[in-house]
Amino acid sequence: MILTVTLNAALDLTYRVPRLRPHASHHVTTAAERAGGKGVNVARVLAALGHTTVVTGFAGGTTGETLRRLLAETAPGDGGRITDRLVPIIGTTRRTVAVVDASTGDTTQLNEAGPDVTAEEWAAFTDTYARLLREARAVALCGSLPPGVPVGAYAHLVRQAHAARVPVLLDTSGEPLRRGIAARPDLVTPNTAELAALTGSTEPLRAALDARRRGAHAIAATLGPEGVLAVTPDGTWRATPPRRLTGNPTGAGDSAAAGLLSAWLDGLPWPDRLTRAVALAAATVKAPTAGEFDAETYEDVLPRVKVTAA
C-alpha cells in the first residue's frame, strides 16, 4: 500500500457563485464538501488510479467526524481503496473554503490554521506512523503543520521512513520544507512560490537545482498552467500541457504529486512520470470540486503532454 500523511487535514468546502464581488452578498449556485488536505487529495487520486492507500494524520471535533465519514464514502477506483488511520485529537479539524467565480473560472481560497496538537497526540501519531511504515511501499508527507507539531516534524518522519527502507515524497512549504529537505527525501514537489521562498530565486530551473543541492534526491516543481519541471539524477525535463485550462486549481498540485508517485511505483521513466503528473493536474482544474480529477480531460490531455529536456 501507499501511505499518505496529512497532519493538517481539512474539511474542504467549495462554493460556486455567478460572479464574485467584494463587499457584496452572493447567491451560491452549488456547494460541495469533501475530505481534504493535501495528503487526503493525493490518496483520493491514487485510489482512483487503482492503488491501495492508507491515510493518516489527525482528525478531531465535528468537522473531523464529517471528514472521516466523507473519507469512508469515497468511491474506490479500479482496484484501489482508501483506509482511514487518522489519529483522533481533542482539537477541531480545520475547514478550507474555495469560492469559484463562474464568470471567470477564478477561485478564491480561505484556509483556517488548524487545531492545536498536544505533545501526547504527536507521540501517538509517530507510533501509528511507525507501525504503518512496515507495510508501506512509499509514503507521501503532505501539507502544512498544525499548531503544536514540531517544525522539524517532516525531517523526523523522512528519517523514520528511510530507516524502514520506504521511499518518501515530501510536499510542504516554509520552514518545514527547509528542514525536511535536509533529511534527504527521495522526491520533493514544491510549487514556484515555495521554491522561491526556499532558495531566494524566482527562476524555476535555478531554484530547482539549488533545492536539490540542499538534500532532495529529485525535485519536481509544479509550475501551475506551465506544467512541471523535474531535476533528477537521470536528467532534467520540463513537461507542459497542450493548452491552458481554466477552472478550479485547488488540488492540482496534489494530483501531480499522486501522478508522480504512482508512475514511480509503476517503474516508468521520468518523462512518463511527468506526463502523467501534468495530465492529472490539468484534469483536476476541470473537476467541479477540490481533490478530484475529470477522467475525460485526463484521457484527452495525457497523449498530448509535451516533454522536453531542460
Side-chain angles (χ1 to χ4, degrees), residues 119-189:
E120 292 78 12
E121 289 165 344
W122 171 242
F125 167 79
T126 56
D127 287 345
T128 297
Y129 177 72
R131 289 194 300 272
L132 292 171
L133 283 174
R134 298 170 191 165
E135 300 179 9
R137 297 176 61 206
V139 58
L141 306 174
C142 303
S144 61
L145 301 180
V149 171
V151 70
Y154 283 133
H156 174 71
L157 298 180
V158 169
R159 295 187 190 101
Q160 269 192 276
H162 283 168
R165 299 184 182 277
V166 177
V168 182
L169 179 151
L170 176 62
D171 184 3
T172 187
S173 60
E175 189 62 21
L177 173 60
R178 189 180 307 277
R179 298 199 185 192
I181 205 170
R184 304 188 66 82
D186 299 272
L187 175 61
V188 180
T189 57

Side-chain angles (χ1 to χ4, degrees), residues 174-206:
E175 189 62 21
L177 173 60
R178 189 180 307 277
R179 298 199 185 192
I181 205 170
R184 304 188 66 82
D186 299 272
L187 175 61
V188 180
T189 57
N191 60 33
T192 51
E194 292 161 352
L195 261 185
L198 175 68
T199 66
S201 175
T202 58
E203 200 289 308
L205 180 56
R206 180 180 300 171

Side-chain angles (χ1 to χ4, degrees), residues 18-290:
R19 183 183 296 275
L20 183 62
R21 303 184 307 276
H23 317 298
S25 297
H26 294 80
H27 173 67
V28 176
T29 55
T30 61
E33 59 180 8
R34 293 288 186 275
K38 293 180 73 64
V40 173
N41 291 340
V42 169
R44 185 182 292 111
V45 174
L46 287 169
L49 294 173
H51 294 276
T52 296
T53 63
V54 172
V55 170
T56 191
F58 298 110
T62 55
T63 54
E65 292 173 2
T66 302
L67 183 151
R68 299 185 84 157
R69 174 179 59 78
L70 293 171
L71 195 59
E73 295 171 358
T74 301
D78 183 14
R81 67 179 187 276
I82 298 176
T83 299
D84 173 1
R85 289 292 183 269
L86 292 164
V87 175
I89 58 173
I90 295 174
T92 299
T93 296
R94 69 191 178 119
R95 295 162 296 179
T96 69
V97 179
V99 183
V100 181
D101 184 330
S103 66
T104 63
D106 293 334
T107 300
T108 298
Q109 190 78 18
L110 306 172
N111 298 328
E112 296 179 359
D116 286 304
V117 175
T118 67
E120 292 78 12
E121 289 165 344
W122 171 242
F125 167 79
T126 56
D127 287 345
T128 297
Y129 177 72
R131 289 194 300 272
L132 292 171
L133 283 174
R134 298 170 191 165
E135 300 179 9
R137 297 176 61 206
V139 58
L141 306 174
C142 303
S144 61
L145 301 180
V149 171
V151 70
Y154 283 133
H156 174 71
L157 298 180
V158 169
R159 295 187 190 101
Q160 269 192 276
H162 283 168
R165 299 184 182 277
V166 177
V168 182
L169 179 151
L170 176 62
D171 184 3
T172 187
S173 60
E175 189 62 21
L177 173 60
R178 189 180 307 277
R179 298 199 185 192
I181 205 170
R184 304 188 66 82
D186 299 272
L187 175 61
V188 180
T189 57
N191 60 33
T192 51
E194 292 161 352
L195 261 185
L198 175 68
T199 66
S201 175
T202 58
E203 200 289 308
L205 180 56
R206 180 180 300 171
L209 290 166
D210 185 353
R212 185 164 180 260
R213 285 192 293 267
R214 292 168 184 254
H217 187 69
I219 297 285
T222 54
L223 310 177
E226 304 302 320
V228 177
L229 170 69
V231 177
T232 82
D234 302 320
T236 302
W237 293 274
R238 186 185 295 264
T240 55
R243 65 184 187 280
R244 187 184 185 96
L245 299 173
T246 60
N248 181 3
T250 307
D254 306 331
S255 292
L260 290 164
L261 190 55
S262 65
W264 177 18
L265 294 176
D266 287 345
L268 299 182
W270 270 104
D272 292 338
R273 299 181 202 180
L274 299 175
T275 295
R276 184 178 295 182
V278 168
L280 283 169
T284 298
V285 171
K286 300 304 294 182
T289 55

